[in-house]
Amino acid sequence: MGRKSRKFKAGLVESEGYVLTAVDQERLAMGYALVKPGFTVADAYHLTMGAYWSETHQDPRGHIKHDLFPAHRRPTKVQFEYWGRLLHGTPLRRKLLGVDHCSTSTLAVAGRAQDQVQAVGQMAMIDSTSSDVYLTSMRSRQIVLPPMHRTIVVDVASTLVMGFCMSWEAPSSATSLQAILCAASDKADIAARFGIDLKPDDWPGLLHRLYLADNGEMKSAALVEAEKQFRFGVEYAKAYSGQSKSLVETQHHTDHKALDHKLPGTTRGRQRQRGETRPADEALWNYNEYMREFIFATIEHNNEEVPDLAPFDMKRAGIRPSRRNVFCWMRDHGMRADISCDLGQLRAFTLPNRKAVMRRDGIHLLMKNGIRLLPGHRFFAGDLTDHPLWQRAVSTGRTVKLTVKLDANDLSHLWLPSDRGLLRIPNVQAEQALLEGLTFVDTNNEVEREDLRLDMAREAEDQTNLDTLVRRSEVTRNAAREKKTEAERLQLTKKEKVVRKQSLKKNRQDEMAALALSSTVSAPQLPKEEVVPVANRATEAAERAMAAFLKTVAR
């Protein structure tokens, strides 16, 4: 059992701990056998507790829920690890593949990241990485998509994850600016898109005064112009110096271990070894499902306690020292150094430009080639009728080209620059399923796949059309030949031909009567040799009758 718990010493529980039996030890060993790459000891412990030391019930929605017993009525994690290693031993897969070890050399650096800041909003770290998870398309689970790129922004003072950008686009200054926009705004609307309810201050945001980034992907003319427009600075870390951005690099590892490497289709951050299954073959989750779980994981991370970062006055006030509470306390008590900005202007600058056209019925997006319209999406709002481009499209009856601001991962609305600022134009045509999870890139890929499918089916379609034309032409030739033969046989005069063409009503009645008779009366089918002409049958009957009459007279 080990030493007595603090709860028992404080008199909060009446039991010193849970005494294991032989059966309990076997259960812990079986649970420890679940440990494998992508499934940590903590995961195996929680799953084992839910299987044997919990009460199971069904909620009103029909979902099964496991309520764990109190801590003093179930084994501890230390007991789980001890008896699991003792009875289960080293797993065979670890013997075959080799025991994992950390081969990365570390550099001892004095101090910590918070030593260079005194307030929230003073400095943030930004970096990009791969999500290490293959996904499936929203249209079909059989269509596999490559791992996305994730850019995150971490506040140095509170270590709060301020914002992110998940995209299939390669990391660049454009994706970094979108992450900065997400970090500066409230995330309630983003979470609501994936069915998560957040209060306005559950995931706060602000624009930092300084951003520490990699020496490469954020160097561009757009970043230089953004620094001038919004007065924030960007510093670049030395190449191959990950410890310079320790917070964001650590956060990448945390996200990989807590979420990415536990999902089906994960690459585990390395190349596939010989004999292993291809990660793409195991892909199951789609974009909507992954984003929902990523937001949950980030919210859980932001709500973790960091007592060493909490101010003393906050602890004395009895406020839980979570990352979010530390951030909000420092922000609300004057310990902030962020830059105030207009989110509309920041959005207009950071969101990428997309080509579109204006019509009488609204705005239509163009595909990546800038030529074809993106099918299934149309944007319109009442404020659009006051825009000069819409008025010109209506008056001329022509299509007007324009440029809009659009988040490639959210097709529910776009932003149109105007004299009054950015106008939010909602999507009024797309289905709800398309708005929830289908991105701009996924929609383009779906259209391209549909075009390829039509190209593959065009040969069969051409063959069907040819067979139809040949069949109809043959019927026409046969009908013309029979009509000509019948005309030569009847030898109708010109007047008779005219009368036949003008007697349409009579012809229609005769045709309907003939069709009705043919559908109700069916002649008996006789063998070919038994068919006798009517005239011959009448002659034979008369001869038999006359013979019978002559016999009678002779008697």
Side-chain angles (χ1 to χ4, degrees):
M1 291 177 57
R3 64 181 180 181
K4 298 172 181 164
S5 64
R6 286 187 291 267
K7 291 184 179 179
F8 178 77
K9 293 179 181 179
L12 299 178
V13 294
E14 57 185 11
S15 175
E16 297 183 13
Y18 185 81
V19 180
L20 295 178
T21 62
V23 176
D24 295 333
Q25 295 171 3
E26 292 293 335
R27 289 176 175 176
L28 295 181
M30 289 187 293
Y32 192 82
L34 299 174
V35 179
K36 63 180 180 179
F39 204 87
T40 62
V41 175
D43 296 334
Y45 170 71
H46 294 143
L47 194 60
T48 306
M49 295 301 104
Y52 298 109
W53 287 275
S54 67
E55 292 182 353
T56 304
H57 65 88
Q58 191 173 14
D59 61 8
R61 296 184 178 180
H63 300 292
I64 302 299
K65 187 176 180 181
H66 303 274
D67 292 335
L68 294 178
F69 294 156
H72 63 278
R73 292 179 53 196
R74 53 185 170 89
T76 63
K77 187 178 178 182
V78 176
Q79 292 174 322
F80 175 76
E81 295 181 10
Y82 175 80
W83 290 105
R85 291 194 181 100
L86 183 63
L87 298 181
H88 185 264
T90 303
L92 178 61
R93 56 181 172 274
R94 296 287 299 274
K95 293 181 181 180
L96 296 176
L97 301 178
V99 180
D100 299 332
H101 65 278
C102 181
S103 60
T104 304
S105 61
T106 59
L107 176 63
V109 180
R112 60 178 186 173
Q114 285 73 28
D115 294 341
Q116 51 191 334
V117 296
Q118 291 80 31
V120 296
Q122 182 178 352
M123 183 179 179
M125 297 181 182
I126 182 171
D127 190 50
S128 302
T129 187
S130 172
S131 63
D132 290 352
V133 179
Y134 283 89
L135 301 179
T136 59
S137 174
M138 291 290 295
R139 301 276 190 177
S140 172
R141 301 281 183 180
Q142 300 298 326
I143 301 175
V144 181
L145 301 174
M148 293 188 294
H149 297 283
R150 178 170 58 233
T151 304
I152 59 175
V153 179
V154 179
D155 178 68
V156 175
S158 62
T159 67
L160 184 77
V161 178
M162 300 296 302
F164 62 89
C165 175
M166 296 289 298
S167 171
W168 276 285
E169 299 180 5
S172 62
S173 59
T175 57
S176 300
L177 285 173
Q178 294 181 54
I180 291 175
L181 171 63
C182 179
S185 57
D186 191 88
K187 269 66 73 176
D189 293 339
I190 300 177
R193 179 171 171 239
F194 299 99
I196 303 174
D197 296 329
L198 287 182
K199 297 179 182 178
D201 213 23
D202 284 349
W203 196 347
L206 49 76
L207 182 63
H208 286 74
R209 189 168 296 275
L210 179 65
Y211 292 92
L212 183 61
D214 275 337
N215 187 11
E217 61 192 30
M218 286 190 67
K219 280 189 174 181
S220 67
L223 255 298
V224 174
E225 185 63 26
E227 292 181 67
K228 295 179 181 178
Q229 293 290 336
F230 300 98
R231 306 181 308 281
F232 63 80
V234 178
E235 287 188 0
Y236 301 100
K238 185 174 63 174
Y240 303 103
S241 178
Q243 67 274 10
S244 300
K245 308 190 314 302
S246 58
L247 293 179
V248 70
E249 296 290 353
T250 302
Q251 187 59 39
H252 286 329
H253 289 289
T254 300
D255 293 337
H256 287 323
K257 297 299 181 182
L259 175 64
D260 298 333
H261 294 175
K262 296 182 178 181
L263 301 182
T266 178
T267 63
R268 297 189 180 91
R270 57 176 175 80
Q271 293 184 351
R272 180 177 67 92
Q273 299 180 2
R274 183 177 182 179
E276 292 183 345
T277 306
R278 295 177 67 251
D281 296 338
E282 298 180 347
L284 293 176
W285 288 33
N286 57 32
Y287 171 79
N288 193 25
E289 295 165 345
Y290 177 82
M291 286 300 301
R292 176 181 172 86
E293 199 60 32
F294 169 73
I295 292 176
F296 274 130
T298 306
I299 294 174
E300 182 179 355
H301 170 79
N302 290 340
N303 288 328
E304 289 180 355
E305 294 187 2
V306 283
D308 56 321
L309 300 180
F312 179 75
D313 291 341
M314 176 181 172
K315 296 180 180 179
R316 186 168 57 181
I319 299 177
R320 180 172 173 268
S322 64
R323 288 185 173 91
R324 185 183 68 86
N325 291 341
V326 169
F327 177 88
C328 295
W329 174 274
M330 298 178 70
R331 180 198 61 186
D332 299 338
H333 289 77
M335 303 173 65
R336 58 185 300 178
D338 59 301
I339 299 176
S340 60
C341 68
D342 184 359
L343 285 179
Q345 295 179 359
L346 184 62
R347 184 179 295 109
F349 192 91
T350 56
L351 284 181
N353 295 328
R354 298 290 179 184
K355 294 182 179 180
V357 294
M358 180 77 77
R359 290 183 174 181
R360 181 189 298 270
D361 57 350
I363 299 176
H364 296 262
L365 288 175
L366 297 180
M367 296 181 60
K368 291 185 295 186
N369 55 17
I371 300 175
R372 294 178 56 186
L373 298 181
L374 191 68
H377 298 275
R378 180 172 61 88
F379 302 83
F380 189 82
D383 297 337
L384 192 62
T385 57
D386 298 331
H387 201 279
L389 293 180
W390 184 84
Q391 295 176 355
R392 188 170 74 179
V394 172
S395 60
T396 60
R398 297 181 178 179
T399 298
V400 180
K401 295 182 179 180
L402 73 160
T403 301
V404 298
K405 296 286 185 177
L406 175 70
D407 183 0
N409 296 329
D410 187 5
L411 296 179
S412 62
H413 62 276
L414 55 78
W415 300 90
L416 177 64
S418 66
D419 298 337
R420 297 177 295 172
L422 286 180
L423 298 179
R424 186 182 186 276
I425 311 299
N427 195 327
V428 297
Q429 182 176 345
E431 301 177 4
Q432 187 64 28
L434 299 180
L435 297 180
E436 289 179 353
L438 208 60
T439 64
F440 182 81
V441 176
D442 203 4
T443 305
N444 277 269
N445 295 339
E446 183 65 25
V447 174
E448 293 176 358
R449 285 191 290 268
E450 182 66 17
D451 293 341
L452 181 60
R453 187 189 65 82
L454 294 177
D455 293 340
M456 298 295 294
R458 187 165 290 118
E459 294 182 2
E461 183 180 356
D462 293 341
Q463 184 64 44
T464 302
N465 294 335
L466 176 61
D467 295 341
T468 301
L469 291 176
V470 172
R471 186 177 63 253
R472 293 175 181 176
S473 299
E474 185 177 358
V475 173
T476 302
R477 289 195 302 270
N478 293 336
R481 189 183 303 111
E482 292 179 2
K483 183 177 181 180
K484 182 178 179 181
T485 303
E486 187 177 357
E488 293 176 353
R489 179 174 58 83
L490 295 177
Q491 296 182 354
L492 298 177
T493 62
K494 184 176 181 180
K495 183 177 181 181
E496 291 175 340
K497 293 180 180 180
V498 173
V499 170
R500 287 196 172 194
K501 293 179 181 180
Q502 292 179 349
S503 305
L504 298 181
K505 293 183 178 180
K506 182 178 181 302
N507 295 342
R508 181 184 62 186
Q509 294 176 355
D510 295 343
E511 188 69 18
M512 292 175 62
L515 291 175
L517 182 62
S518 63
S519 61
T520 56
V521 179
S522 58
Q525 300 295 327
L526 299 177
K528 192 172 183 180
E529 59 273 12
E530 296 182 4
V531 177
V532 182
V534 175
N536 295 341
R537 292 200 302 267
T539 303
E540 293 175 357
E543 290 177 353
R544 288 196 299 269
M546 182 60 66
F549 176 74
L550 293 176
K551 288 181 180 181
T552 304
V553 172
R555 290 176 183 175

